[in-house]
Amino acid sequence: MAWMLGVVWMSCISGSQWTLFQRLLGFSNMHFGLIMGIGWAVYLGQVISAYAVERTGIRKYQFIVYASIYRFLWLAIAAVPFIFNPGPTAATAFVVVYAIGAFLAHMSMPPWLNWMGDIIPRRVRGRYFANRRVLTIPIQVLAVIATGLVLDWATVKQAPDTPINIETQPYLLPVICAIFAIGAFFGLADVLLFLRMREVASPPLATRPPRHGASLPRAFAAAAAAPFRAVGQAIGDRDFDHYAGFAFTIAFAMTVAGPFWARNTLENLGYSKLSNNVVFMVCTSLSAMLVAKLWGKLIDRWGRRPVMIMATVGVVFSPAGWFLIPAGSSMRVAVIIGGLTCSLGGVMWGGLELARFNLLLDISQGAARSRYIAAAAVFSAAGGLLGGFAGGWLADSLDYLQCDIGTPLRVGPFLWNNWHITFLVSALFRALAVLWLINMPDRGSRPLRHVMRHIWVSAYTSALPRAFAWRWRAFRRGDGGQHRLLWPLRLILRPGRDRVDKAA
């Protein structure tokens, strides 16, 4: 029940309103890159919190305190435009509040995962989370559609090339702030429902003898240095070195273009707010959910490495659709191409993240698991932080490619601007990430060529008979004059029957 409220909160703070809020505050491309980089840098909060849980055994109230403050801070974010006028001061205030909240959000995740791991029995854990997702997806879809409709209602119709700011859209910013405030209350209610659940101490935490400095402040002080010690201890493990390089590269690729996908659809392609939410939030999640079981079967049968290679190659080409929308296309055409592009991306990213998570669990077996997880977080955070700054700098440097400022690149019927350059850089680093996987050790995995041969043979043997099933039924009926063009094929497949028909 709690997450039914949580998905409403998540739908209220993400999607079109998130991008538009920053744009209306006066964000530059560099600010967008900074926000994306901060989102990855604060990932280290998970590591600090995990060490604090191990040293103190406190989980329930760590989660509730951190998550409650984070959800409540969305009221402060919603209040920023009413305290500061849109501009550099408002943008700076938003960045500071967002960074604090994001850090607390990441700190709340390890206590919750640890706590749920003891409360939910292992034998039903998979079914529980699957059912939880199935029950909450309809609520999420309804919330996404509702927020999109409200944003479209509050949008003043303007010419396609009109910049989005507080003068051209006077009603949009107050409506977005109201959506954030409503989401904050739903998110707070989601967290507070966990007060009714009991704290269950696992045997290692319950029986651990008291240690010097086990108080919460000292635990955090010791944990702050733990990630960097973990990096030094984990480097040198050949299995982990390949994974760390992949984590750094793929995080860079994800963040270098991260904030500009939605800006391209809203400001360049003219998407409505509803269309933007459906394309990025509904198509992606539904396509990933539909193929999750297939990816799981491939991982169990063939191993993590070949699946990661296939999925990473897939995400290299998944942004191609954004380059293939002709200039001057109608919004319907742009939405269809964007929806197909995001659906392909959801399929590939879903398989990549599933295989990646399983591989990390395999690499970090034993007592050193926390060390490897901490080191992986450091490399991911470093790649994401650098990618955010690099993307913001690149988009700012090539701002003259925007239609309202300069002249975009024309390639046939397509127009590409500075955001498309960040997409291209993202695809390049995704391709570079494949190089880390080629020789990555993975115990028990099969060679990639065997996997590809199996997939090809399976697809051929299952798809071809289905494609011609209706024609095969016509052969078996022997329906006289129908399907005359297929008579030579019938002669080859059933010569005896046709000679009898001909003689008759």
Side-chain angles (χ1 to χ4, degrees):
M1 179 178 176
W3 189 235
M4 291 182 179
L5 302 175
V7 292
V8 177
W9 160 77
M10 187 177 66
S11 301
C12 287
I13 66 167
S14 55
S16 301
Q17 55 270 29
W18 172 246
T19 303
L20 290 170
F21 182 78
Q22 299 171 60
R23 192 75 180 102
L24 292 169
L25 280 185
F27 268 41
S28 65
N29 289 317
M30 183 58 72
H31 282 112
F32 277 98
L34 176 63
I35 285 292
M36 181 60 66
I38 288 174
W40 281 83
V42 296
Y43 193 86
L44 294 176
Q46 289 193 33
V47 183
I48 297 174
S49 179
Y51 275 81
V53 168
E54 289 185 1
R55 292 177 65 90
T56 64
I58 301 172
R59 298 174 298 174
K60 174 180 176 179
Y61 290 103
Q62 280 199 63
F63 161 70
I64 290 175
V65 169
Y66 303 148
S68 296
I69 297 174
Y70 167 58
R71 307 288 174 90
F72 189 77
L73 281 176
W74 281 96
L75 289 176
I77 291 175
V80 166
F82 299 100
I83 300 174
F84 305 101
N85 292 324
T89 304
T92 302
F94 168 74
V95 168
V96 171
V97 176
Y98 170 76
I100 296 172
F103 188 78
L104 290 170
H106 281 281
M107 291 189 70
S108 69
M109 294 177 66
W112 185 82
L113 292 171
N114 199 309
W115 186 25
M116 293 300 105
D118 284 341
I119 287 179
I120 303 170
R122 184 175 182 179
R123 65 181 182 278
V124 299
R125 199 173 296 160
R127 283 173 289 171
Y128 168 79
F129 283 107
N131 291 333
R132 177 177 178 259
R133 183 167 180 79
V134 169
L135 291 173
T136 54
I137 280 179
I139 299 174
Q140 180 182 0
V141 171
L142 290 176
V144 167
I145 293 175
T147 55
L149 290 173
V150 170
L151 291 173
D152 283 338
W153 169 77
T155 301
V156 177
K157 300 297 182 184
Q158 300 284 355
D161 295 335
T162 304
I164 298 176
N165 52 47
I166 198 67
E167 287 79 20
T168 59
Q169 298 294 338
Y171 310 115
L172 201 53
L173 188 57
V175 170
I176 293 174
C177 292
I179 293 174
F180 284 172
I182 293 171
F185 286 109
F186 273 95
L188 195 58
D190 166 31
V191 175
L192 295 180
L193 282 176
F194 285 91
L195 285 171
R196 301 175 61 89
M197 299 180 65
R198 68 189 187 278
E199 170 75 283
V200 180
S202 60
L205 294 178
T207 59
R208 179 173 293 159
R211 299 169 58 182
H212 176 68
S215 64
L216 195 58
R218 291 185 179 180
F220 279 119
F228 306 100
R229 290 198 306 268
V231 171
Q233 295 169 353
I235 289 177
D237 184 333
R238 181 172 175 267
D239 293 5
F240 179 76
D241 287 348
H242 284 77
Y243 181 88
F246 175 81
F248 177 90
T249 309
I250 203 69
F252 186 96
M254 291 169 66
T255 54
V256 71
F260 305 118
W261 305 106
R263 289 197 65 187
N264 179 58
T265 56
L266 290 170
E267 301 179 39
N268 183 34
L269 299 177
Y271 274 30
S272 67
K273 284 64 179 179
L274 175 61
S275 300
N276 189 75
N277 285 359
V278 169
V279 166
F280 284 107
M281 300 179 67
V282 176
C283 292
T284 303
S285 58
L286 287 180
S287 60
M289 183 185 67
L290 290 175
V291 297
K293 290 185 178 180
L294 174 60
W295 284 122
K297 291 179 180 178
L298 288 175
I299 292 170
D300 290 340
R301 181 168 184 177
W302 302 103
R304 280 83 53 179
R305 185 175 63 86
V307 172
M308 288 180 70
I309 294 176
M310 288 189 296
T312 307
V313 171
V315 301
V316 171
F317 296 100
S318 63
W322 300 115
F323 292 87
L324 302 177
I325 300 177
S329 298
S330 65
M331 191 182 74
R332 179 176 298 179
V333 173
V335 168
I336 291 174
I337 297 177
L340 294 175
T341 302
C342 285
S343 297
L344 173 62
V347 170
M348 295 303 171
W349 280 112
L352 175 58
E353 291 303 321
L354 185 62
R356 180 181 172 184
F357 177 72
N358 279 272
L359 182 62
L360 179 59
L361 292 181
D362 183 70
I363 292 174
S364 60
Q365 288 181 357
R369 169 165 290 176
S370 60
R371 178 198 313 164
Y372 285 98
I373 292 177
V378 170
F379 281 100
S380 295
L385 183 63
L386 290 176
F389 280 109
W393 172 81
L394 186 62
D396 256 350
S397 302
L398 301 176
D399 203 38
Y400 59 86
L401 294 178
Q402 286 290 333
C403 294
D404 55 341
I405 298 177
T407 303
L409 297 173
R410 176 172 287 278
V411 181
F414 312 111
L415 288 179
W416 299 345
N417 56 28
N418 55 333
W419 298 327
H420 289 85
I421 303 302
T422 64
F423 303 164
L424 192 62
V425 173
S426 176
L428 174 63
F429 274 85
R430 297 177 193 192
L432 292 176
V434 179
L435 301 179
W436 289 104
L437 300 175
I438 294 176
N439 294 317
M440 176 183 286
D442 181 18
R443 289 178 290 274
S445 66
R446 300 290 187 89
L448 179 63
R449 62 181 183 275
H450 292 174
V451 181
M452 297 302 297
R453 185 185 302 121
H454 171 78
I455 293 175
W456 169 253
V457 172
S458 298
Y460 180 82
T461 56
S462 62
L464 191 63
R466 291 182 182 181
F468 292 97
W470 68 275
R471 296 179 183 269
W472 180 251
R473 287 193 296 268
F475 299 158
R476 294 185 62 85
R477 287 197 306 267
D479 47 358
Q482 297 183 20
H483 305 290
R484 294 181 185 274
L485 294 177
L486 300 177
W487 193 85
L489 184 60
R490 290 182 60 191
L491 185 62
I492 296 172
L493 294 176
R494 304 181 64 188
R497 170 70 178 271
D498 285 300
R499 280 196 298 270
V500 173
D501 291 344
K502 236 179 143 179

